[in-house]
Amino acid sequence: MRKKKLTALLLAGVMAISAALTGCGSGTSDDASGSDQSSEGGNGERKKITALLRCSETSAKYIILKKLLTEFSEEKGLEEPEFELVNGDADYVTKLQLYINSNSLPDIYGCANGALSAAAKDIDSMINVGDELERIGMKDDMNGALYDFFTDADDGNVYLFPESLNCEFFFYRKDIFDKYNLEAPKNWDEFLEVCKTLKEKGEIPLVVAGKENWQLMRYLSFAPWRMTKDGFIKGYMDGTETFSDNVAAKSGAELLYTLGTEEYFQGGFLSTDYTAATDLFFGGTGCMWYSGSGQITQASEMYEAGELGFFAVPDVKGEDNMDTNVPIHGGFGTAFNAQTYDDTMKECFQYICENYSEACYKEAKVFSPFNDEMPEGLDSLFYDLYPMFETATDAWVSWDDKLDSATLTSLVDEQQKLAQGSETPEEFEKVADSLITK
Amino acid sequence: MQKAFGRKKVIFMFLAPALIVYIFFVVVSVVWAGYYSFFDWSGVGEKTFIWFQNYIQLMQDRIFWSTVGHTLAYTVICVLIQVFGGLLFAIFLTRLTKGRALLQTLYYVPVVISSVAVCQIFGKLLSVTPTGVINAFLSLFNADLAMMEWISNGEVALYVAAFVEGYKYLGLYMVIFYAALIGVPKDLEEAAIVDGANVVQQFWRVKIPYIKPVIISNCILVLNGSLRSFDISYLLTKGGPGNASELMSTYMYKQAFSSMKYGYGSAIAMVIVIICMAVGFTFRRVTERGEKV
């Protein structure tokens, strides 16, 4: 009896220890070559390609990469590519941190320019996309503004591959504008005048997804971008520029405050998310909506019916504005893991680049980051929008990427207060300036 | 058999699995959070040991202290709705003779629905553009109320979030109270009737004092749950607008995972643990004193 008890106890102990060791096994590894080996077979040969993406199954990025990686894997006799999709921003960041800390990043992963890309570079988990594009002779084929968007501020290299070419602009209801004899505004003064007229006529001038951090931040950053490109935001981060002293930044704060407090946004705008705002605008509510090429599919029907028009980001009146007035960016970048970048992955990179445009236009219905000719038969918005950014060389400067996470989080809270009028532009500027320690 | 259950070894054998799980998932986590709270760390890369800097910064952080106030107000509302609302609903249920099971099930439904779904439902109900059901109803009395902001209004967002949390878990505490109330011995009730007590007196003088331990237990459960409440507030208002409905836990999450200040987030987590323990301990002492008297 006693022997039996002892044996049972011993077995239980062994089980507990092995469970604990299994858990520990997935923890941090200091081994520099400790990347995920699941994509390799026992003899070191690659079995499949793995990818971690911040998107859902309906996102352009997934649609494009799923098609290309599946086709490539079939061609090379590999197993089906393995995708791990995480939709939420914070969840994705946590997941990526985990992979970086344990040095087990997949072959392909989504990454934003900033602290995480720097950390991934530190563990040698990012290939130089610029060099690779040069190797396959496609560097000059990529849109100049997009290449500029992903250029690393520290060393001038490009480590991220664009998801697609995204251009942003305002959609407006042509039928409503015609009804009140209004024209698409060229500068922000005209923009506010249009909003005022529409408000007086009982319309909702502007739809905004105030629950999304980036939407309100666009209004803060339009003027600094048109006037200084990245001059203000870089200076702000360095502590050499302040909201209180910079004319462009003050103009941005004033604009957001006016739009919010004059009730030019729809009621309850701070609780409207992007999907709800999209549904509102394309469902017939509101007269203007800041959106982009990612919504061509939703906009096409109204556009073909002559109900929709579009205009670029207005100028700041009386100031020097840069020529590019359409924010162009490559979305959430994609990195290729340098530690698993073997010959197969090199071939895969080339295959992706060579077939990216076709997948963009035919499958995902988005603009390609490469300057390839657009196929026939697309929605007419594609052809009408193209001249807006065809010759653009300056990219959009995304504050979400430039600001460090802590400043960004605080600024997001403050911009909500500003838009709601619970903080004046002067108070906002003071708080925003205090977020940066010189 | 009874003798075996009295043995210390046997008691320990039954308690050990839960204790081990608790130590692994709670105690170890708290200790680790305490360790990280002494570092300046972004979640990736090198950690810098900074002694008590995070705690010093926390003491001077006015947003954190406003979240403490918000959390206390949130807790009071949750206790009122979940404990006293739950008790009231349970009393009504005991008075019903028909349709009790149906009502009990209906009240319990929000408990089993996920927080995400509950917040989505309330988001639509309280919507301003397009006008949600609540505002459409209120506008029948006053047209201006069609534009009443609930979730995005800094003055009411916290109370709306607390109400939704209270609503979600009210059914749970109602069921516990109902079970306690029907467990009150019939002879006590009959004795009260013989003494001439009316229905209100039967509840106030006999049944409620009898279930006092259950009330206290529920209070502690709600207190603890509300003090570290996260999901409803985060999903419904994201702590906004600004920091108007920010709770300690959502602030901790934002600092750790959005601002990527893991050390500072851990320091906030440690203070939350201390506050939870202090409130729970104080409440326990106060109620124990009441029991002795």
Side-chain angles (χ1 to χ4, degrees):
Chain A
M1 192 68 184
R2 203 178 181 86
K3 209 173 176 182
K4 263 186 182 177
K5 268 184 186 174
L6 265 172
T7 318
L9 210 66
L10 202 71
L11 272 173
V14 169
M15 277 168 71
I17 290 166
S18 34
L21 286 177
T22 312
C24 294
S26 59
T28 310
S29 160
D30 290 327
D31 182 5
S33 60
S35 285
D36 185 19
Q37 298 299 310
S38 63
S39 57
E40 291 182 2
N43 54 3
E45 269 182 31
R46 176 174 292 280
K47 272 168 63 189
K48 63 185 170 192
I49 297 169
T50 55
L52 168 72
L53 305 175
R54 193 208 69 176
C55 62
S56 67
E57 287 192 2
T58 54
S59 306
K61 188 173 195 161
Y62 175 72
I63 292 169
I64 296 166
L65 285 178
K66 169 88 177 166
K67 176 186 158 59
L68 297 177
L69 292 181
T70 306
E71 284 174 359
F72 178 78
S73 299
E74 276 172 14
E75 214 171 86
K76 293 286 161 192
L78 299 172
E79 287 175 15
E80 281 252 310
E82 190 179 293
F83 286 93
E84 188 176 358
L85 306 182
V86 182
N87 209 10
D89 281 5
D91 292 343
Y92 187 81
V93 168
T94 311
K95 193 107 201 175
L96 198 57
Q97 279 172 343
L98 191 77
Y99 280 122
I100 292 173
N101 284 334
S102 57
N103 198 4
S104 57
L105 283 159
D107 300 315
I108 298 171
Y109 57 96
C111 191
N113 248 336
L116 286 171
S117 62
K121 254 193 300 171
D122 284 348
I123 57 163
D124 193 26
S125 291
M126 272 185 158
I127 63 156
N128 185 328
V129 169
D131 285 354
E132 282 302 290
L133 283 171
E134 200 147 1
R135 177 180 67 83
I136 60 169
M138 289 187 74
K139 189 177 172 184
D140 295 334
D141 295 341
M142 187 170 275
N143 179 284
L146 268 193
Y147 198 83
D148 177 47
F149 181 76
F150 282 120
T151 302
D152 192 277
D154 297 332
D155 58 18
N157 289 324
V158 170
Y159 295 98
L160 297 166
F161 189 85
E163 152 183 321
S164 58
L165 186 147
N166 298 313
C167 65
E168 295 180 4
F169 47 83
F170 284 91
F171 274 119
Y172 71 98
R173 287 285 301 275
K174 230 173 173 178
D175 51 341
I176 300 176
F177 271 52
D178 288 345
K179 190 174 156 190
Y180 301 121
N181 292 321
L182 294 170
E183 291 207 354
K186 299 265 186 313
N187 59 54
W188 287 110
D189 289 2
E190 286 178 17
F191 186 90
L192 292 175
E193 270 306 311
V194 167
C195 287
K196 192 179 172 191
T197 310
L198 289 168
K199 179 85 187 160
E200 283 167 1
K201 301 288 182 190
E203 303 282 354
I204 296 173
L206 195 52
V207 173
V208 69
K211 202 172 180 181
E212 315 290 346
N213 304 340
W214 68 273
Q215 277 260 312
L216 291 181
M217 195 159 274
R218 288 290 192 267
Y219 291 94
L220 264 187
S221 50
F222 281 142
W225 176 64
R226 292 302 313 279
M227 289 167 64
T228 71
K229 196 185 171 191
D230 57 359
F232 168 72
I233 198 65
K234 274 185 173 172
Y236 173 69
M237 290 304 290
D238 294 345
T240 53
E241 290 280 6
T242 60
F243 271 89
S244 315
D245 295 329
N246 189 289
V247 179
K250 280 176 93 73
S251 176
E254 199 65 56
L255 174 71
L256 182 58
Y257 179 74
T258 310
L259 291 173
T261 52
E262 294 294 331
E263 297 180 354
Y264 294 153
F265 293 136
Q266 81 277 11
F269 66 91
L270 284 179
S271 55
T272 311
D273 61 24
Y274 193 67
T275 312
T278 303
D279 291 346
L280 274 179
F281 184 73
F282 294 115
T285 304
C287 304
M288 292 182 280
W289 158 236
Y290 184 71
S291 177
S293 52
Q295 293 199 317
I296 288 178
T297 315
Q298 289 101 314
S300 277
E301 200 182 320
M302 288 173 87
Y303 184 74
E304 302 291 348
E307 293 169 355
L308 274 190
F310 56 86
F311 62 87
V313 173
D315 293 344
V316 183
K317 201 178 174 186
E319 301 289 343
D320 279 340
N321 293 269
M322 67 175 181
D323 292 336
T324 308
N325 58 2
V326 180
I328 297 167
H329 60 85
F332 197 69
T334 307
F336 290 78
N337 189 351
Q339 293 185 33
T340 62
Y341 200 66
D342 50 17
D343 289 342
T344 312
M345 282 310 292
K346 280 182 184 169
E347 281 180 54
C348 180
F349 181 83
Q350 185 162 356
Y351 183 87
I352 287 174
C353 292
E354 285 169 355
N355 295 284
Y356 211 80
S357 293
E358 193 189 338
C360 280
Y361 292 118
K362 288 193 176 163
E363 305 291 327
K365 307 284 181 207
V366 290
F367 283 109
S368 166
F370 293 102
N371 295 322
D372 295 323
E373 207 171 301
M374 276 193 288
E376 285 179 11
L378 298 173
D379 292 331
S380 54
L381 254 173
F382 272 100
Y383 307 106
D384 295 347
L385 284 169
Y386 192 69
M388 285 211 323
F389 59 83
E390 195 178 5
T391 53
T393 48
D394 294 306
W396 167 247
V397 179
S398 189
W399 284 17
D400 329 25
D401 288 345
K402 301 291 173 207
L403 295 168
D404 66 78
S405 309
T407 310
L408 180 66
T409 309
S410 304
L411 208 61
V412 162
D413 290 338
E414 296 307 316
Q415 72 179 11
Q416 287 189 349
K417 293 178 195 169
L418 178 71
Q420 217 178 27
S422 56
E423 208 169 69
T424 64
E426 290 74 27
E427 286 166 339
F428 168 81
E429 288 157 14
K430 207 174 151 192
V431 178
D433 291 341
S434 72
L435 299 175
I436 301 291
T437 317
K438 288 184 188 179
Chain B
M1 187 70 178
Q2 282 216 333
K3 205 177 172 187
F5 275 109
R7 278 192 208 147
K8 277 185 183 172
K9 274 184 190 169
V10 177
I11 293 170
F12 180 74
M13 202 178 77
F14 278 102
L15 290 178
L19 190 68
I20 291 166
V21 170
Y22 179 79
I23 288 169
F24 261 101
F25 288 99
V26 180
V27 179
V28 171
S29 305
V30 172
V31 172
W32 270 109
Y35 169 74
Y36 283 136
S37 70
F38 295 107
F39 288 91
D40 178 16
W41 186 42
S42 68
V44 285
E46 288 295 304
K47 294 191 281 281
T48 314
F49 185 71
I50 53 167
W51 290 100
F52 291 94
Q53 270 306 316
N54 285 325
Y55 290 97
I56 294 167
Q57 191 189 336
L58 190 58
M59 292 304 121
Q60 296 160 349
D61 185 345
R62 70 180 169 80
I63 297 176
F64 173 72
W65 290 110
S66 74
T67 66
V68 175
H70 293 165
T71 309
L72 291 176
Y74 191 90
T75 304
V76 170
I77 296 169
C78 285
V79 169
L80 286 175
I81 296 175
Q82 291 173 33
V83 177
F84 295 102
L87 181 58
L88 200 67
F89 276 53
I91 291 170
F92 288 144
L93 276 184
T94 57
R95 303 292 301 163
L96 281 180
T97 46
K98 273 184 187 172
R100 184 192 296 154
L102 177 72
L103 278 174
Q104 212 171 330
T105 311
L106 284 177
Y107 290 142
Y108 198 78
V109 167
V111 181
V112 290
I113 297 179
S114 82
S115 300
V116 179
V118 169
C119 290
Q120 284 286 333
I121 292 167
F122 272 91
K124 300 287 178 212
L125 286 175
L126 300 167
S127 168
V128 184
T129 316
T131 310
V133 175
I134 306 282
N135 281 13
F137 176 74
L138 291 174
S139 67
L140 297 174
F141 307 100
N142 183 346
D144 290 343
L145 290 175
M147 295 306 286
M148 173 71 188
E149 291 184 33
W150 299 97
I151 298 166
S152 51
N153 181 348
E155 284 167 20
V156 295
L158 177 72
Y159 307 113
V160 171
F163 172 79
V164 175
E165 169 117 14
Y167 161 81
K168 179 165 164 49
Y169 294 107
L170 182 132
L172 176 69
Y173 296 100
M174 178 200 73
V175 168
I176 298 172
F177 282 129
Y178 177 72
L181 282 171
I182 57 171
V184 175
K186 277 277 172 214
D187 46 357
L188 282 180
E189 198 179 334
E190 283 161 5
I193 294 169
V194 171
D195 288 344
N198 58 28
V199 177
V200 176
Q201 284 170 330
Q202 281 171 42
F203 274 103
W204 191 244
R205 301 277 183 195
V206 179
K207 291 187 178 178
I208 289 177
Y210 189 84
I211 64 163
K212 196 179 165 188
V214 180
I215 297 174
I216 292 168
S217 303
N218 280 352
C219 277
I220 291 172
L221 284 175
V222 177
L223 263 178
N224 261 316
S226 308
L227 283 172
R228 50 192 175 81
S229 174
F230 174 82
D231 51 353
I232 300 286
S233 168
Y234 192 75
L235 291 166
L236 200 66
T237 66
K238 272 194 171 178
N243 305 103
S245 60
E246 199 85 79
L247 302 179
M248 291 190 294
S249 52
T250 58
Y251 189 60
M252 180 264 291
Y253 180 83
K254 277 186 184 177
Q255 289 300 316
F257 298 102
S258 299
S259 296
M260 291 174 72
K261 291 176 0 187
Y262 276 75
Y264 192 57
S266 300
I268 298 174
M270 291 309 294
V271 174
I272 294 174
V273 170
I274 293 166
I275 292 176
C276 280
M277 285 172 72
V279 171
F281 184 71
T282 310
F283 184 80
R284 196 75 203 128
R285 287 299 293 264
V286 169
T287 49
E288 269 174 8
R289 200 178 301 157
E291 276 168 20
K292 279 172 193 168
V293 171

